[in-house]
Amino acid sequence: MNDEDNRLFINVFGRNIKFLLKNKGSLDVGSDGEPLKGIFDIPFLNVEIGEFEIGSSTPRLTCISADVVDVKKHDVVIIDNIEYNVVSDPQPDGEGMSIVELGNKAQ
């Protein structure tokens, strides 16, 4: 997808989000000047460890990469008035989008 298609995809399927950045304030506006959006997802994964299978569901956001360049591990994101911890730096997919892995709700 190109940048225009990515932005359309996020605008159609995304939710408004707000990042609370450690020592940098907050981030709630995208690189296009519009409200920041991300697609919230909690996929179920079946992980095999040796002879054991473990079900795992980890919340994550799919965002425009240019929108989340300042987001880092240990920041917090607010989605639908619920806070989640960012557990790793955003992982770009090479196509202009990034996955932001989230952890338990922030305390």
Side-chain angles (χ1 to χ4, degrees):
M1 277 197 246
N2 63 38
D3 290 342
E4 195 173 302
D5 290 338
N6 287 343
R7 186 72 61 190
L8 177 62
F9 183 71
I10 289 291
N11 285 335
V12 169
F13 296 105
R15 300 177 187 186
N16 288 344
I17 59 175
K18 180 178 183 177
F19 285 97
L20 305 177
L21 308 175
K22 296 282 185 189
N23 303 319
K24 290 187 179 181
S26 63
L27 174 64
D28 61 357
V29 176
S31 57
D32 62 350
E34 296 296 322
L36 184 60
K37 291 186 178 260
I39 298 172
F40 182 68
D41 186 24
I42 305 177
F44 180 81
L45 303 172
N46 201 19
V47 181
E48 288 186 30
I49 301 175
E51 297 177 14
F52 302 99
E53 288 188 19
I54 300 172
S56 172
S57 57
T58 303
R60 66 183 183 181
L61 278 171
T62 301
C63 299
I64 302 290
S65 293
D67 291 351
V68 294
V69 293
D70 291 329
V71 174
K72 301 292 181 212
K73 182 178 179 178
H74 303 300
D75 288 340
V76 171
V77 64
I78 302 170
I79 307 164
D80 297 332
N81 294 317
I82 300 173
E83 294 184 358
Y84 295 89
N85 292 316
V86 175
V87 298
S88 64
D89 291 350
Q91 301 299 308
D93 69 357
E95 298 292 327
M97 303 287 268
S98 289
I99 300 295
V100 180
E101 298 288 339
L102 305 176
N104 295 331
K105 295 175 189 170
Q107 301 299 320

mmCIF file of all heavy atoms in Angstrom, residues 55-99:
data_model
loop_
_atom_site.group_PDB
_atom_site.id
_atom_site.type_symbol
_atom_site.label_atom_id
_atom_site.label_comp_id
_atom_site.label_asym_id
_atom_site.label_seq_id
_atom_site.Cartn_x
_atom_site.Cartn_y
_atom_site.Cartn_z
ATOM 1 N N GLY A 55 -1.855 -20.744 24.724
ATOM 2 C CA GLY A 55 -2.626 -19.706 24.047
ATOM 3 C C GLY A 55 -2.190 -18.347 24.551
ATOM 4 O O GLY A 55 -1.957 -18.157 25.737
ATOM 5 N N SER A 56 -2.044 -17.416 23.644
ATOM 6 C CA SER A 56 -1.601 -16.082 24.024
ATOM 7 C C SER A 56 -2.418 -15.043 23.263
ATOM 8 O O SER A 56 -2.665 -15.188 22.074
ATOM 9 C CB SER A 56 -0.120 -15.917 23.679
ATOM 10 O OG SER A 56 0.283 -14.589 23.866
ATOM 11 N N SER A 57 -2.829 -14.031 23.964
ATOM 12 C CA SER A 57 -3.489 -12.900 23.303
ATOM 13 C C SER A 57 -2.848 -11.630 23.839
ATOM 14 O O SER A 57 -2.872 -11.361 25.030
ATOM 15 C CB SER A 57 -4.989 -12.914 23.543
ATOM 16 O OG SER A 57 -5.279 -12.903 24.907
ATOM 17 N N THR A 58 -2.234 -10.902 22.947
ATOM 18 C CA THR A 58 -1.532 -9.684 23.307
ATOM 19 C C THR A 58 -2.146 -8.527 22.533
ATOM 20 O O THR A 58 -2.184 -8.571 21.303
ATOM 21 C CB THR A 58 -0.031 -9.792 22.953
ATOM 22 O OG1 THR A 58 0.518 -10.924 23.604
ATOM 23 C CG2 THR A 58 0.721 -8.559 23.361
ATOM 24 N N PRO A 59 -2.628 -7.502 23.219
ATOM 25 C CA PRO A 59 -3.193 -6.369 22.489
ATOM 26 C C PRO A 59 -2.113 -5.634 21.698
ATOM 27 O O PRO A 59 -0.942 -5.622 22.089
ATOM 28 C CB PRO A 59 -3.783 -5.484 23.584
ATOM 29 C CG PRO A 59 -3.123 -5.888 24.839
ATOM 30 C CD PRO A 59 -2.672 -7.306 24.662
ATOM 31 N N ARG A 60 -2.521 -5.058 20.579
ATOM 32 C CA ARG A 60 -1.577 -4.303 19.756
ATOM 33 C C ARG A 60 -2.316 -3.258 18.945
ATOM 34 O O ARG A 60 -3.533 -3.314 18.781
ATOM 35 C CB ARG A 60 -0.807 -5.235 18.834
ATOM 36 C CG ARG A 60 -1.667 -5.894 17.788
ATOM 37 C CD ARG A 60 -0.893 -6.853 16.943
ATOM 38 N NE ARG A 60 -1.744 -7.403 15.903
ATOM 39 C CZ ARG A 60 -1.353 -8.283 15.033
ATOM 40 N NH1 ARG A 60 -0.119 -8.744 15.068
ATOM 41 N NH2 ARG A 60 -2.182 -8.735 14.117
ATOM 42 N N LEU A 61 -1.547 -2.317 18.458
ATOM 43 C CA LEU A 61 -2.065 -1.268 17.585
ATOM 44 C C LEU A 61 -1.333 -1.323 16.256
ATOM 45 O O LEU A 61 -0.126 -1.581 16.222
ATOM 46 C CB LEU A 61 -1.794 0.111 18.184
ATOM 47 C CG LEU A 61 -2.719 0.645 19.239
ATOM 48 C CD1 LEU A 61 -2.142 1.919 19.833
ATOM 49 C CD2 LEU A 61 -4.094 0.919 18.657
ATOM 50 N N THR A 62 -2.054 -1.080 15.187
ATOM 51 C CA THR A 62 -1.437 -0.867 13.888
ATOM 52 C C THR A 62 -1.600 0.611 13.588
ATOM 53 O O THR A 62 -2.711 1.145 13.646
ATOM 54 C CB THR A 62 -2.123 -1.711 12.797
ATOM 55 O OG1 THR A 62 -2.031 -3.093 13.158
ATOM 56 C CG2 THR A 62 -1.460 -1.493 11.450
ATOM 57 N N CYS A 63 -0.476 1.280 13.329
ATOM 58 C CA CYS A 63 -0.475 2.730 13.133
ATOM 59 C C CYS A 63 0.351 3.092 11.905
ATOM 60 O O CYS A 63 1.170 2.299 11.433
ATOM 61 C CB CYS A 63 0.142 3.436 14.339
ATOM 62 S SG CYS A 63 -0.702 3.174 15.888
ATOM 63 N N ILE A 64 0.174 4.308 11.421
ATOM 64 C CA ILE A 64 1.038 4.857 10.384
ATOM 65 C C ILE A 64 2.420 5.061 11.026
ATOM 66 O O ILE A 64 2.525 5.683 12.087
ATOM 67 C CB ILE A 64 0.491 6.212 9.866
ATOM 68 C CG1 ILE A 64 -0.935 6.063 9.320
ATOM 69 C CG2 ILE A 64 1.436 6.838 8.853
ATOM 70 C CD1 ILE A 64 -1.062 5.297 8.046
ATOM 71 N N SER A 65 3.468 4.549 10.399
ATOM 72 C CA SER A 65 4.816 4.635 10.977
ATOM 73 C C SER A 65 5.228 6.071 11.287
ATOM 74 O O SER A 65 5.786 6.346 12.351
ATOM 75 C CB SER A 65 5.840 3.993 10.035
ATOM 76 O OG SER A 65 5.623 2.608 9.934
ATOM 77 N N ALA A 66 4.935 7.000 10.381
ATOM 78 C CA ALA A 66 5.314 8.405 10.596
ATOM 79 C C ALA A 66 4.623 9.015 11.805
ATOM 80 O O ALA A 66 5.124 9.970 12.394
ATOM 81 C CB ALA A 66 4.994 9.227 9.343
ATOM 82 N N ASP A 67 3.482 8.452 12.211
ATOM 83 C CA ASP A 67 2.738 8.976 13.358
ATOM 84 C C ASP A 67 3.331 8.545 14.688
ATOM 85 O O ASP A 67 3.057 9.163 15.717
ATOM 86 C CB ASP A 67 1.275 8.515 13.310
ATOM 87 C CG ASP A 67 0.484 9.149 12.182
ATOM 88 O OD1 ASP A 67 0.994 10.076 11.526
ATOM 89 O OD2 ASP A 67 -0.659 8.704 11.963
ATOM 90 N N VAL A 68 4.090 7.450 14.700
ATOM 91 C CA VAL A 68 4.549 6.883 15.977
ATOM 92 C C VAL A 68 6.073 6.862 16.120
ATOM 93 O O VAL A 68 6.615 6.094 16.906
ATOM 94 C CB VAL A 68 3.958 5.465 16.201
ATOM 95 C CG1 VAL A 68 2.450 5.537 16.381
ATOM 96 C CG2 VAL A 68 4.332 4.512 15.080
ATOM 97 N N VAL A 69 6.772 7.750 15.408
ATOM 98 C CA VAL A 69 8.239 7.768 15.480
ATOM 99 C C VAL A 69 8.752 8.130 16.878
ATOM 100 O O VAL A 69 9.845 7.703 17.255
ATOM 101 C CB VAL A 69 8.874 8.707 14.423
ATOM 102 C CG1 VAL A 69 8.641 8.189 13.024
ATOM 103 C CG2 VAL A 69 8.380 10.121 14.569
ATOM 104 N N ASP A 70 7.984 8.884 17.656
ATOM 105 C CA ASP A 70 8.416 9.276 18.996
ATOM 106 C C ASP A 70 7.975 8.297 20.081
ATOM 107 O O ASP A 70 8.330 8.463 21.248
ATOM 108 C CB ASP A 70 7.891 10.669 19.347
ATOM 109 C CG ASP A 70 8.550 11.753 18.509
ATOM 110 O OD1 ASP A 70 9.724 11.579 18.121
ATOM 111 O OD2 ASP A 70 7.885 12.776 18.233
ATOM 112 N N VAL A 71 7.185 7.289 19.723
ATOM 113 C CA VAL A 71 6.685 6.313 20.700
ATOM 114 C C VAL A 71 7.789 5.322 21.034
ATOM 115 O O VAL A 71 8.485 4.823 20.143
ATOM 116 C CB VAL A 71 5.436 5.588 20.155
ATOM 117 C CG1 VAL A 71 4.997 4.476 21.092
ATOM 118 C CG2 VAL A 71 4.316 6.592 19.924
ATOM 119 N N LYS A 72 7.952 5.038 22.306
ATOM 120 C CA LYS A 72 8.989 4.119 22.774
ATOM 121 C C LYS A 72 8.417 3.161 23.814
ATOM 122 O O LYS A 72 7.367 3.417 24.415
ATOM 123 C CB LYS A 72 10.154 4.895 23.417
ATOM 124 C CG LYS A 72 10.820 5.897 22.506
ATOM 125 C CD LYS A 72 11.563 5.221 21.395
ATOM 126 C CE LYS A 72 12.256 6.248 20.511
ATOM 127 N NZ LYS A 72 12.338 5.850 19.138
ATOM 128 N N LYS A 73 9.152 2.094 24.039
ATOM 129 C CA LYS A 73 8.816 1.146 25.106
ATOM 130 C C LYS A 73 8.648 1.911 26.412
ATOM 131 O O LYS A 73 9.385 2.861 26.666
ATOM 132 C CB LYS A 73 9.950 0.120 25.228
ATOM 133 C CG LYS A 73 9.714 -0.947 26.251
ATOM 134 C CD LYS A 73 10.878 -1.927 26.244
ATOM 135 C CE LYS A 73 10.681 -3.000 27.286
ATOM 136 N NZ LYS A 73 11.779 -3.982 27.256
ATOM 137 N N HIS A 74 7.684 1.526 27.219
ATOM 138 C CA HIS A 74 7.349 2.119 28.524
ATOM 139 C C HIS A 74 6.450 3.351 28.424
ATOM 140 O O HIS A 74 6.088 3.915 29.451
ATOM 141 C CB HIS A 74 8.586 2.439 29.365
ATOM 142 C CG HIS A 74 9.457 1.263 29.621
ATOM 143 N ND1 HIS A 74 9.015 0.135 30.275
ATOM 144 C CD2 HIS A 74 10.750 1.030 29.297
ATOM 145 C CE1 HIS A 74 10.001 -0.742 30.345
ATOM 146 N NE2 HIS A 74 11.052 -0.228 29.752
ATOM 147 N N ASP A 75 6.113 3.798 27.200
ATOM 148 C CA ASP A 75 5.115 4.856 27.083
ATOM 149 C C ASP A 75 3.753 4.237 27.381
ATOM 150 O O ASP A 75 3.627 3.031 27.572
ATOM 151 C CB ASP A 75 5.123 5.458 25.671
ATOM 152 C CG ASP A 75 6.355 6.319 25.400
ATOM 153 O OD1 ASP A 75 6.994 6.771 26.372
ATOM 154 O OD2 ASP A 75 6.670 6.526 24.217
ATOM 155 N N VAL A 76 2.742 5.053 27.417
ATOM 156 C CA VAL A 76 1.369 4.599 27.685
ATOM 157 C C VAL A 76 0.490 5.086 26.540
ATOM 158 O O VAL A 76 0.712 6.170 25.995
ATOM 159 C CB VAL A 76 0.863 5.179 29.037
ATOM 160 C CG1 VAL A 76 -0.613 4.905 29.245
ATOM 161 C CG2 VAL A 76 1.683 4.621 30.192
ATOM 162 N N VAL A 77 -0.493 4.278 26.161
ATOM 163 C CA VAL A 77 -1.456 4.700 25.152
ATOM 164 C C VAL A 77 -2.858 4.583 25.744
ATOM 165 O O VAL A 77 -3.141 3.659 26.502
ATOM 166 C CB VAL A 77 -1.341 3.882 23.845
ATOM 167 C CG1 VAL A 77 -1.673 2.423 24.063
ATOM 168 C CG2 VAL A 77 -2.214 4.474 22.753
ATOM 169 N N ILE A 78 -3.693 5.551 25.417
ATOM 170 C CA ILE A 78 -5.086 5.542 25.868
ATOM 171 C C ILE A 78 -5.965 5.227 24.669
ATOM 172 O O ILE A 78 -5.926 5.933 23.653
ATOM 173 C CB ILE A 78 -5.479 6.894 26.485
ATOM 174 C CG1 ILE A 78 -4.556 7.238 27.653
ATOM 175 C CG2 ILE A 78 -6.944 6.866 26.917
ATOM 176 C CD1 ILE A 78 -4.714 8.662 28.167
ATOM 177 N N ILE A 79 -6.734 4.138 24.809
ATOM 178 C CA ILE A 79 -7.654 3.698 23.766
ATOM 179 C C ILE A 79 -9.020 3.535 24.425
ATOM 180 O O ILE A 79 -9.154 2.756 25.361
ATOM 181 C CB ILE A 79 -7.217 2.355 23.158
ATOM 182 C CG1 ILE A 79 -5.758 2.427 22.691
ATOM 183 C CG2 ILE A 79 -8.156 1.939 22.027
ATOM 184 C CD1 ILE A 79 -5.141 1.071 22.429
ATOM 185 N N ASP A 80 -10.018 4.253 23.961
ATOM 186 C CA ASP A 80 -11.362 4.187 24.546
ATOM 187 C C ASP A 80 -11.336 4.385 26.062
ATOM 188 O O ASP A 80 -11.950 3.635 26.811
ATOM 189 C CB ASP A 80 -12.047 2.865 24.194
ATOM 190 C CG ASP A 80 -12.268 2.687 22.703
ATOM 191 O OD1 ASP A 80 -12.403 3.711 22.001
ATOM 192 O OD2 ASP A 80 -12.296 1.532 22.240
ATOM 193 N N ASN A 81 -10.553 5.363 26.516
ATOM 194 C CA ASN A 81 -10.412 5.718 27.936
ATOM 195 C C ASN A 81 -9.775 4.623 28.782
ATOM 196 O O ASN A 81 -9.896 4.634 30.005
ATOM 197 C CB ASN A 81 -11.765 6.123 28.533
ATOM 198 C CG ASN A 81 -12.288 7.395 27.915
ATOM 199 O OD1 ASN A 81 -11.532 8.346 27.707
ATOM 200 N ND2 ASN A 81 -13.563 7.426 27.604
ATOM 201 N N ILE A 82 -9.099 3.666 28.157
ATOM 202 C CA ILE A 82 -8.369 2.611 28.880
ATOM 203 C C ILE A 82 -6.893 2.763 28.553
ATOM 204 O O ILE A 82 -6.511 2.932 27.396
ATOM 205 C CB ILE A 82 -8.871 1.210 28.479
ATOM 206 C CG1 ILE A 82 -10.352 1.069 28.813
ATOM 207 C CG2 ILE A 82 -8.045 0.124 29.172
ATOM 208 C CD1 ILE A 82 -10.989 -0.201 28.300
ATOM 209 N N GLU A 83 -6.053 2.717 29.594
ATOM 210 C CA GLU A 83 -4.617 2.873 29.413
ATOM 211 C C GLU A 83 -3.933 1.518 29.265
ATOM 212 O O GLU A 83 -4.239 0.578 30.000
ATOM 213 C CB GLU A 83 -4.007 3.618 30.601
ATOM 214 C CG GLU A 83 -4.470 5.050 30.707
ATOM 215 C CD GLU A 83 -3.783 5.812 31.823
ATOM 216 O OE1 GLU A 83 -2.957 5.225 32.555
ATOM 217 O OE2 GLU A 83 -4.081 7.009 31.973
ATOM 218 N N TYR A 84 -3.003 1.452 28.299
ATOM 219 C CA TYR A 84 -2.182 0.265 28.076
ATOM 220 C C TYR A 84 -0.723 0.682 28.057
ATOM 221 O O TYR A 84 -0.381 1.784 27.604
ATOM 222 C CB TYR A 84 -2.510 -0.388 26.724
ATOM 223 C CG TYR A 84 -3.911 -0.937 26.641
ATOM 224 C CD1 TYR A 84 -4.964 -0.137 26.202
ATOM 225 C CD2 TYR A 84 -4.185 -2.247 26.998
ATOM 226 C CE1 TYR A 84 -6.253 -0.638 26.123
ATOM 227 C CE2 TYR A 84 -5.472 -2.750 26.918
ATOM 228 C CZ TYR A 84 -6.497 -1.944 26.483
ATOM 229 O OH TYR A 84 -7.766 -2.448 26.420
ATOM 230 N N ASN A 85 0.147 -0.198 28.521
ATOM 231 C CA ASN A 85 1.585 0.039 28.445
ATOM 232 C C ASN A 85 2.096 -0.354 27.068
ATOM 233 O O ASN A 85 1.669 -1.366 26.510
ATOM 234 C CB ASN A 85 2.323 -0.792 29.499
ATOM 235 C CG ASN A 85 2.027 -0.333 30.900
ATOM 236 O OD1 ASN A 85 2.023 0.854 31.174
ATOM 237 N ND2 ASN A 85 1.773 -1.267 31.784
ATOM 238 N N VAL A 86 3.022 0.414 26.535
ATOM 239 C CA VAL A 86 3.720 0.050 25.303
ATOM 240 C C VAL A 86 4.886 -0.847 25.727
ATOM 241 O O VAL A 86 5.732 -0.431 26.510
ATOM 242 C CB VAL A 86 4.222 1.303 24.558
ATOM 243 C CG1 VAL A 86 5.043 0.917 23.340
ATOM 244 C CG2 VAL A 86 3.049 2.202 24.170
ATOM 245 N N VAL A 87 4.915 -2.097 25.228
ATOM 246 C CA VAL A 87 5.910 -3.059 25.707
ATOM 247 C C VAL A 87 7.132 -3.184 24.803
ATOM 248 O O VAL A 87 8.113 -3.835 25.173
ATOM 249 C CB VAL A 87 5.292 -4.450 25.972
ATOM 250 C CG1 VAL A 87 4.241 -4.367 27.060
ATOM 251 C CG2 VAL A 87 4.710 -5.055 24.711
ATOM 252 N N SER A 88 7.100 -2.569 23.619
ATOM 253 C CA SER A 88 8.294 -2.553 22.760
ATOM 254 C C SER A 88 8.169 -1.367 21.802
ATOM 255 O O SER A 88 7.076 -0.856 21.569
ATOM 256 C CB SER A 88 8.429 -3.860 21.971
ATOM 257 O OG SER A 88 7.353 -4.025 21.080
ATOM 258 N N ASP A 89 9.292 -0.941 21.291
ATOM 259 C CA ASP A 89 9.267 0.134 20.306
ATOM 260 C C ASP A 89 8.433 -0.306 19.101
ATOM 261 O O ASP A 89 8.376 -1.505 18.789
ATOM 262 C CB ASP A 89 10.685 0.470 19.846
ATOM 263 C CG ASP A 89 11.525 1.137 20.934
ATOM 264 O OD1 ASP A 89 10.966 1.509 21.979
ATOM 265 O OD2 ASP A 89 12.737 1.286 20.720
ATOM 266 N N PRO A 90 7.787 0.634 18.408
ATOM 267 C CA PRO A 90 7.000 0.266 17.227
ATOM 268 C C PRO A 90 7.845 -0.503 16.211
ATOM 269 O O PRO A 90 9.017 -0.185 15.990
ATOM 270 C CB PRO A 90 6.562 1.616 16.664
ATOM 271 C CG PRO A 90 6.542 2.520 17.854
ATOM 272 C CD PRO A 90 7.704 2.068 18.701
ATOM 273 N N GLN A 91 7.245 -1.525 15.615
ATOM 274 C CA GLN A 91 7.922 -2.368 14.638
ATOM 275 C C GLN A 91 7.381 -2.071 13.242
ATOM 276 O O GLN A 91 6.271 -2.467 12.909
ATOM 277 C CB GLN A 91 7.717 -3.846 14.976
ATOM 278 C CG GLN A 91 8.224 -4.239 16.344
ATOM 279 C CD GLN A 91 9.721 -4.018 16.486
ATOM 280 O OE1 GLN A 91 10.494 -4.472 15.659
ATOM 281 N NE2 GLN A 91 10.116 -3.292 17.516
ATOM 282 N N PRO A 92 8.167 -1.363 12.400
ATOM 283 C CA PRO A 92 7.696 -1.036 11.057
ATOM 284 C C PRO A 92 7.579 -2.288 10.183
ATOM 285 O O PRO A 92 8.360 -3.228 10.324
ATOM 286 C CB PRO A 92 8.760 -0.096 10.510
ATOM 287 C CG PRO A 92 9.863 -0.060 11.485
ATOM 288 C CD PRO A 92 9.466 -0.806 12.705
ATOM 289 N N ASP A 93 6.594 -2.281 9.285
ATOM 290 C CA ASP A 93 6.389 -3.424 8.398
ATOM 291 C C ASP A 93 7.033 -3.230 7.029
ATOM 292 O O ASP A 93 6.935 -4.088 6.167
ATOM 293 C CB ASP A 93 4.898 -3.739 8.251
ATOM 294 C CG ASP A 93 4.124 -2.684 7.467
ATOM 295 O OD1 ASP A 93 4.708 -1.654 7.067
ATOM 296 O OD2 ASP A 93 2.923 -2.897 7.251
ATOM 297 N N GLY A 94 7.689 -2.094 6.823
ATOM 298 C CA GLY A 94 8.326 -1.820 5.545
ATOM 299 C C GLY A 94 7.384 -1.249 4.496
ATOM 300 O O GLY A 94 7.793 -0.940 3.385
ATOM 301 N N GLU A 95 6.119 -1.115 4.838
ATOM 302 C CA GLU A 95 5.115 -0.594 3.917
ATOM 303 C C GLU A 95 4.460 0.683 4.446
ATOM 304 O O GLU A 95 3.386 1.060 3.982
ATOM 305 C CB GLU A 95 4.030 -1.657 3.665
ATOM 306 C CG GLU A 95 4.538 -2.916 3.010
ATOM 307 C CD GLU A 95 4.982 -2.686 1.567
ATOM 308 O OE1 GLU A 95 4.380 -1.832 0.882
ATOM 309 O OE2 GLU A 95 5.937 -3.352 1.137
ATOM 310 N N GLY A 96 5.073 1.317 5.452
ATOM 311 C CA GLY A 96 4.538 2.565 5.986
ATOM 312 C C GLY A 96 3.673 2.412 7.222
ATOM 313 O O GLY A 96 3.162 3.394 7.744
ATOM 314 N N MET A 97 3.503 1.174 7.692
ATOM 315 C CA MET A 97 2.715 0.915 8.891
ATOM 316 C C MET A 97 3.640 0.333 9.963
ATOM 317 O O MET A 97 4.683 -0.235 9.653
ATOM 318 C CB MET A 97 1.592 -0.078 8.595
ATOM 319 C CG MET A 97 0.659 0.347 7.481
ATOM 320 S SD MET A 97 -0.431 1.659 7.954
ATOM 321 C CE MET A 97 -1.815 0.704 8.515
ATOM 322 N N SER A 98 3.234 0.459 11.224
ATOM 323 C CA SER A 98 3.986 -0.116 12.341
ATOM 324 C C SER A 98 3.038 -0.793 13.311
ATOM 325 O O SER A 98 1.906 -0.342 13.494
ATOM 326 C CB SER A 98 4.764 0.974 13.097
ATOM 327 O OG SER A 98 5.851 1.442 12.329
ATOM 328 N N ILE A 99 3.538 -1.859 13.934
ATOM 329 C CA ILE A 99 2.800 -2.556 14.980
ATOM 330 C C ILE A 99 3.357 -2.078 16.317
ATOM 331 O O ILE A 99 4.577 -2.072 16.528
ATOM 332 C CB ILE A 99 2.971 -4.086 14.871
ATOM 333 C CG1 ILE A 99 2.466 -4.595 13.524
ATOM 334 C CG2 ILE A 99 2.288 -4.789 16.038
ATOM 335 C CD1 ILE A 99 0.986 -4.412 13.303
#
